[in-house]
Each structure stands twice: as C-alpha cells, then as structure tokens.
C-alpha cells in the first residue's frame, strides 16, 4: 500500500483552452515544486492532481509542506491507495486511519465512485465499510449527520484511495497563467504581501528594489532579498533588480522643493520599474500602496505617481486595513523579517510637511530642474540582477 497525495483543482469553472492552460501550468508547477523532495510521478485526471512517490526515498513530509503553498489547488488529501475491492479498502482504512477512529467519538464513511464500472454504488460502499469499521472500533459511533470524523473512500480509474478530512490548499490560480508583473519590493510589511497576492492570481512576479547606499545599509538590502526568498516559497522563483538610487535621491534633494521630495522620488521609482518591466516581458507593475496610509498614498498623490506609467498598476492592498495586511504577512511568514528595523530609501530625505493633495502641474514644475531621462538612464545601466529561489538559504 502506497501513500500518495490527491490535490483538487480550484477555479474549475474554466472551460476549453483556458482550462487546458490552467491544468498544464499546474502540473508543470507541481512537478517543479516536488522535485527537491524526491522522485514523484505527477499526473492530472478528473480535476485532480496525483502525486505519487516512485520509491521509498521520497521525503513525503517535505513534499506535503510544499504542496500547501502551490497556487491553483483548493484542497489536499494525503491518502493510501489500494486495490479496488472491499477487503483491501477496509484494510487500508484500518492501517491508515485506524488510530484517528479510535480517538474520535463518532464517524461516518463517505464514498465517491468515479469508476462507474465498479459494481457497488457509493452508498453501498459507505454502508459496508462503515459497518465493518463500527465493529472494529466499538467506542466510535456511526453518526451520518454530525460525525466527529469522516473517512473518505474514492473509487477512481486506477485504484481505490482512502483518506481522512482534506486540508485546504493555497487557492488562487497556478503561477504563470496570469502573465508576469514587476513588483516594487521594499523592506516593509506591505509589498511582500502585495507580491504574494498577485502571485496567487497566477502572476509570475519579478521584483525591483531601490537601494540608497550609504543612506540605507547592506543589511536593508539583505532583508529585501530574504523577503523575496520567502515569497518564492509560493511562487517558485523571482529575480530581484536592485537599482542604485542614491544619485537620484541626492539630485532631488539638491534641486527640488522639499515638500515634493517623496512624490518626485516615487515618480522615478515607477518610471524605472516600467523600463525594467518592459525589458523583462512584464505587462504590469505591482505596489503595496494602501489608500491613505501615508502622505504619498492619497488619491491625488497616486494620480501624480501613476502619471509616468502606461501599463496597469496593480495595488492589491489598496482597500485593506493594516490589520488585514498584517494577518496575511504573518500567515505567509514575511512579517518577522519585515519588522526588522532597517531603514528604507523612502525614509531618507523625508519632507517635514509633504504635499498630500498635489496636482500634476505643481509636481512637473517642482521637478523641472532635473534631467530625468539622463538620471534614469544611468540608474538602468547599473541595475544588479539577483535571482532568488526558496531553496537558496540567502539573506539575513
Ligand atoms: P511597504 O510596507 O511595502 O514598505 P509602505 O507602507 O512603507 O509599504 P511606502 O514606503 O510609501 O509604503 O511605499 C509604497 C510602495 O512603494 C511600497 O509598498 C512598495 O511597493 C514601493 N516601495 C517603497 N519603497 C521602495 C523601495 N525602496 N524599493 C522598491 N519599492 C519600494
Ligand atoms: Mg516602505
């Protein structure tokens, strides 16, 4: 008897070519994500991904943990496979779930028969296995309405499978079905959550970080690389483009009115991000902006910073409360790194009284002494590209 994973697809409303693309991507992603844990056969049938270890060396616990982070899967079951006959099914349930049944006050059996050639109906299967289990576990009562524990029996084409309650999968859509986007990744709480949320919608995420050495330290950069690595636990891989931003920030400080510093700086960030996005085949930009959180995140400020880009800007956190964002950061494991106290380039040269209701005309006037294109060109020439994968233990 072998232990295998059955993982159910999400968003099954899809049809035709979209469904095929979704399934192919998902199978490819599952294969890639299982690889570090051994040799697995990964196949997809009846809206279910099967992950079957090919030998005894496979690290099933590691693979199971990884499976929980794969987008496009709504529920995961760790099961035993067995022959499609009642004795084998009963023995498999006893061996695999017997201890769970001993601990539960009540149970029921739920069966599903997708192999219609199997001679018994689902109800008959449940009744027979349920009856045998009730005899074997006298302290566990049958309760078909409110059972404390449910045993599942699935009769599929290749084999029968038995398992306990399913666990929730990561949800969303398989990474890669939603195109590619460039995320502005700072060291804060918000932007890693924004990257995660768009990755969950099937977007392949690349990142850009603006780094102002010596105003911000190597530790601040390492922190961002570590945040990127933590997000790759969900989306597989990412390249972080580190942009040296000091010259631009000093030029703004020396040539522009202080109240516009942050706005002008953010316009540079967006424009540089757009160049990198175009270079890397990204169709959108992602930021962790949140309406009203800071002076540069009012509607008027967003209009001024958004004016330099022509591609869509995704702000998945724009309408969320900080607490909701923190809850997600905690769930995906980025919070503890985000709150390490290293400075971000946004906190260098912060104006005492930033403009919260700027107009585009005012900002264009405030930045007129700068040779924007020359500054952007020089920054682009020095971009460092750092590939990040979850299995590389880089960073802080
Ligand atoms: P975060 O928690 O993500 O840092 P924040 O609330 O501190 O966000 P801001 O500092 O105003 O907000 O930044 C808004 C957004 O701009 C960030 O979510 C991020 O997408 C981007 N951003 C800010 N600083 C940087 C940086 N140094 N490099 C790359 N992107 C940045
Ligand atoms: Mg920040």
């Amino acid at each position: 008897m072998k232990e295998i994973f059955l993982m159910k697809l999400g968003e099954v409303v899809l049809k035709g070519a979209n469904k095929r693309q979704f399934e192919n991507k998902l199978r490819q992603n599952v294969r890639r994500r299982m690889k570090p844990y051994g040799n697995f056969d990964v196949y997809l049938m009846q809206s279910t991904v099967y992950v079957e270890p090919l030998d005894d060396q496979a690290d099933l616990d590691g693979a199971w943990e990884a499976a929980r982070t794969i987008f496009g899967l709504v529920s995961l079951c760790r099961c035993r496979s067995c022959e499609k006959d009642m004795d084998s099914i009963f023995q498999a349930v006893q061996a695999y779930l017997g201890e769970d049944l001993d601990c539960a006050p009540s149970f029921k059996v739920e069966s599903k028969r997708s192999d219609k050639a199997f001679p018994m109906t689902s109800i008959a299967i449940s009744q027979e296995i349920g009856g045998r289990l009730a005899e074997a576990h006298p302290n566990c009562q049958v309760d078909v309405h409110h059972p404390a524990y449910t045993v599942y029996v699935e009769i599929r084409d290749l084999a029968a499978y038995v398992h306990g309650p399913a666990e929730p999968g990561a949800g969303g859509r398989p990474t890669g079905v939603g195109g590619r986007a460039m995320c502005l990744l700072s060291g804060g709480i918000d932007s890693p959550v924004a990257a995660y949320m768009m990755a969950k919608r099937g977007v392949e995420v690349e990142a850009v970080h603006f780094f102002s050495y010596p105003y911000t330290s190597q530790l601040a950069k390492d922190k961002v690389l570590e945040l990127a690595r933590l997000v790759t636990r969900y989306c597989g891989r990412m390249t972080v483009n580190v942009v040296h931003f000091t010259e631009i920030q000093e030029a703004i400080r020396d040539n522009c009115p202080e109240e516009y510093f942050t706005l002008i700086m953010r316009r540079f960030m967006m424009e540089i991000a757009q160049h990198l996005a175009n270079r890397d085949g990204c169709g959108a930009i992602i930021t962790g902006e949140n309406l009203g959180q800071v002076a540069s995140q009012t509607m008027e400020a967003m209009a001024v910073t958004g004016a330099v880009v022509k591609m869509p800007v995704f702000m998945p956190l724009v309408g969320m409360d900080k607490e909701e964002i923190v809850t997600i950061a905690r769930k995906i494991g980025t919070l503890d790194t985000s709150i390490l106290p290293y400075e971000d380039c946004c906190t260098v040269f912060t104006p005492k009284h930033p403009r919260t209701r700027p107009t585009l005309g005012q900002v264009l006037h405030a930045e007129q002494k700068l040779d924007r294109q020359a500054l952007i060109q020089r920054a682009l020439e020095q971009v460092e590209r750092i590939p990040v994968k979850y299995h590389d233990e880089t960073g802080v």
Side-chain angles (χ1 to χ4, degrees), residues 9 29 51 84 91 94 130 175 244 252 256 278 288 383 391 395:
L9 267 62
N29 292 351
V51 175
K84 290 195 271 186
Q91 279 160 19
Q94 281 290 71
T175 304
H244 295 267
I252 297 171
C256 305
N278 282 326
V383 172
H391 282 275

Side-chain angles (χ1 to χ4, degrees), residues 82-320:
C82 62
E83 297 293 318
K84 290 195 271 186
D85 64 71
M86 298 312 272
D87 286 342
S88 305
I89 292 169
F90 175 66
Q91 279 160 19
V93 175
Q94 281 290 71
Y96 196 49
L97 307 172
E99 279 180 21
D100 288 354
L101 282 166
D102 283 334
C103 299
S106 61
F107 82 103
K108 76 166 174 179
V109 177
E110 216 176 282
S111 305
K112 215 167 90 188
R113 180 184 59 131
S114 44
D115 170 11
K116 298 298 176 204
F118 192 76
M120 293 169 76
T121 63
S122 311
I123 293 172
I125 300 166
S126 297
Q127 279 172 345
E128 175 159 350
I129 299 293
R132 291 208 213 175
L133 288 172
E135 260 177 51
H137 301 270
N139 294 327
C140 189
Q141 307 294 314
V142 175
D143 180 347
V144 290
H145 298 298
H146 304 287
Y149 191 82
T150 302
V151 171
Y152 294 87
V153 176
E154 301 194 33
I155 313 284
R156 291 172 173 254
D157 289 344
L158 297 181
Y161 302 91
V162 305
H163 58 88
E167 291 188 25
R173 307 197 305 151
T175 304
V177 297
R180 186 180 298 157
M182 181 65 67
C183 182
L184 278 79
L185 194 63
S186 69
I189 294 172
D190 302 335
S191 45
V193 173
Y196 159 84
M197 287 183 65
M198 295 320 301
K200 189 171 177 192
R201 292 312 299 156
V203 173
E204 243 176 74
V205 178
E206 305 291 359
V208 50
H209 176 64
F210 296 91
F211 179 55
S212 297
Y213 188 79
Y215 301 105
T216 60
S217 66
Q218 180 64 35
L219 284 173
K221 179 167 138 190
D222 290 346
K223 174 183 171 182
V224 171
L225 294 177
E226 174 62 5
L227 286 171
R229 192 183 74 83
L230 292 170
V231 175
T232 61
R233 182 169 157 224
Y234 291 88
C235 62
R237 51 151 300 284
M238 188 187 291
T239 298
V240 180
N241 294 273
V242 177
V243 175
H244 295 267
F245 207 44
T246 316
E247 187 190 351
I248 290 176
Q249 286 200 286
E250 287 178 344
I252 297 171
R253 178 197 60 191
D254 296 342
N255 294 287
C256 305
E258 185 189 309
E259 56 191 340
Y260 293 102
F261 279 2
T262 310
L263 282 167
I264 295 172
M265 179 193 75
R266 296 194 57 75
R267 281 164 56 82
F268 273 97
M269 285 186 176
M270 296 299 271
E271 196 164 343
I272 291 171
Q274 178 166 249
H275 277 284
L276 296 172
N278 282 326
R279 186 199 63 193
D280 290 351
C282 298
I285 289 172
I286 303 168
T287 77
E289 283 165 279
N290 178 253
L291 189 63
Q293 197 182 79
V294 289
S296 59
Q297 294 177 18
T298 63
M299 244 184 241
E300 293 81 355
M302 287 178 183
V304 164
T305 45
V308 291
V309 290
K310 295 203 170 60
M311 54 178 60
V313 179
F314 295 152
M315 302 176 182
L317 315 185
V318 75
M320 292 170 72

